[in-house]
Structure formats: C-alpha cells, structure tokens
Amino acid sequence: MTSSLSVAEYPRHGAYSASVLDNNVTSNGMRNAVTMMPQLVTTAGMGSSYYQPALPRNLDIFSEVERGLGDSSIKDDQRLLARKLAASLKTSLLNNYRQMHMDLPYSELHLSVLDDSAVLIEWTYLNLRAGFSIERNVDDSSYYVLVRDMENGVSTIVPEYGPLNGKNVDAVAAKVVARISEKL
C-alpha cells in the first residue's frame, strides 16, 4: 500500500491545503483521495488554539448583526442605516472576491447597543479594528478604522474616520473592506 501527500501553500494568506492520495485502486477502479481542510498560520503558530483569525467559511459573518437588529430599543432609521451598511459590506466583499479572486478569512462583525442608544457595529482583527457608530440621531453617525502598524519594533495606531450616512454608505463600506483586505 502506497500513499502520497500533496501540500499546496497560499503564502499571502498563510493557508495550506493538503490532500492524501492512496494509490490502491478500489473495487470500482477509483483511487481514494482525501482532502484535508486548510490550516491557517497565526501569530502563535500553525493551527494554534490561542488565536483564530477567521470563522469557518460555512458561518455567516453577519449573523450577530442581523440578530441584533431585532432589538426593540433600536429606532427604525438606525435599523435602516445598519441594514444598508450590512448590504454594502456584503457587496464590497463580493466585489473584492470577484475582482481580486481572493476569498480572505474575514472575521465576524459584532453589534452592541450602547447606553446612549447608539448602535455600534465592530469588526475586529489582531492588528485592525473597524467600527460603525449609528447614533440615535442618524445624521451624527460615523465610522472608524484603527490599524496597528509595527515598524522597527514600535507599535503605532493609524486612525481613519469620518461620517456615515445613507449617501456615503457604499463608499465607506468599500473603503473599509479594502483596508481590511490589504492587511489580511
């Protein structure tokens, strides 16, 4: 009985895919091939349980946001802007995938209703945080992106922020997805 192992590396994403081929022919004349799921390399090492950079591909990264929008304390215009934002983020992720042929390991978005009744949607990574603050008065809503850059052993936070409204939600979503994609 002989077997071979094939390993493909995807260096930009730190992902490895492997398949094992059993050279024994089965009764129907087919070879046995088993594909193993890609392992993601993290800062703590391959397959580390200390840090998971992404959800498995079969989980919806928007599920917490969609559930959270059912909160009765959220005003209708806040809910509308949050749904527009989620739709714009989904479109930007799809465009990123189509244009760049990159299925990156995006993490789950989180939704919180704050004490002042603002809706905060956050997207967190090891060295990056993006947030969308949908205020009770939606005209005061905003977004931010904080990127931690390491240069010569010194950590620097690079902020980016601006207004968020129904007119610029597509542009903001595209900008945030681009910033996250370039850091993954």
Side-chain angles (χ1 to χ4, degrees):
M1 180 165 133
T2 59
S3 295
S4 62
L5 175 65
S6 169
V7 178
E9 179 180 358
Y10 304 96
R12 176 177 166 101
H13 312 297
Y16 295 85
S17 178
S19 63
V20 177
L21 180 62
D22 183 351
N23 289 331
N24 287 340
V25 178
T26 63
S27 60
N28 64 4
M30 301 296 290
R31 290 185 172 176
N32 297 322
V34 177
T35 302
M36 298 184 312
M37 295 303 293
Q39 291 286 322
L40 296 175
V41 177
T42 67
T43 55
M46 181 180 277
S48 168
S49 62
Y50 298 109
Y51 171 67
Q52 284 295 335
L55 292 172
R57 299 266 193 259
N58 63 344
L59 293 180
D60 182 2
I61 67 171
F62 294 92
S63 60
E64 185 180 318
V65 171
E66 291 164 355
R67 274 192 314 273
L69 288 175
D71 187 315
S72 61
S73 67
I74 299 174
K75 288 179 33 187
D76 288 342
D77 53 348
Q78 286 177 297
R79 189 175 288 108
L80 179 64
L81 183 55
R83 286 196 171 123
K84 281 184 180 180
L85 174 64
S88 294
L89 289 170
K90 289 176 184 180
T91 300
S92 294
L93 289 169
L94 182 59
N95 287 339
N96 182 57
Y97 176 74
R98 286 182 178 161
Q99 292 171 2
M100 303 172 73
H101 307 288
M102 295 167 51
D103 188 14
L104 296 174
Y106 295 103
S107 66
E108 184 177 20
L109 285 90
H110 299 280
L111 181 140
S112 302
V113 179
L114 305 179
D115 291 340
D116 65 353
S117 299
V119 175
L120 179 62
I121 298 173
E122 289 188 300
W123 215 349
T124 58
Y125 293 88
L126 188 60
N127 291 316
L128 184 137
R129 178 179 300 261
F132 308 92
S133 180
I134 302 173
E135 301 297 327
R136 193 91 172 137
N137 177 2
V138 293
D139 294 335
D140 296 333
S141 300
S142 60
Y143 79 96
Y144 68 88
V145 179
L146 301 173
V147 178
R148 179 174 303 211
D149 282 332
M150 291 294 291
E151 189 173 312
N152 299 327
V154 177
S155 175
T156 306
I157 302 292
V158 180
E160 177 182 330
Y161 54 90
L164 176 67
N165 55 56
K167 293 178 183 175
N168 74 352
V169 70
D170 292 334
V172 167
K175 183 187 303 189
V176 170
V177 167
R179 293 286 284 154
I180 290 172
S181 298
E182 72 187 21
K183 291 295 181 184
L184 292 181

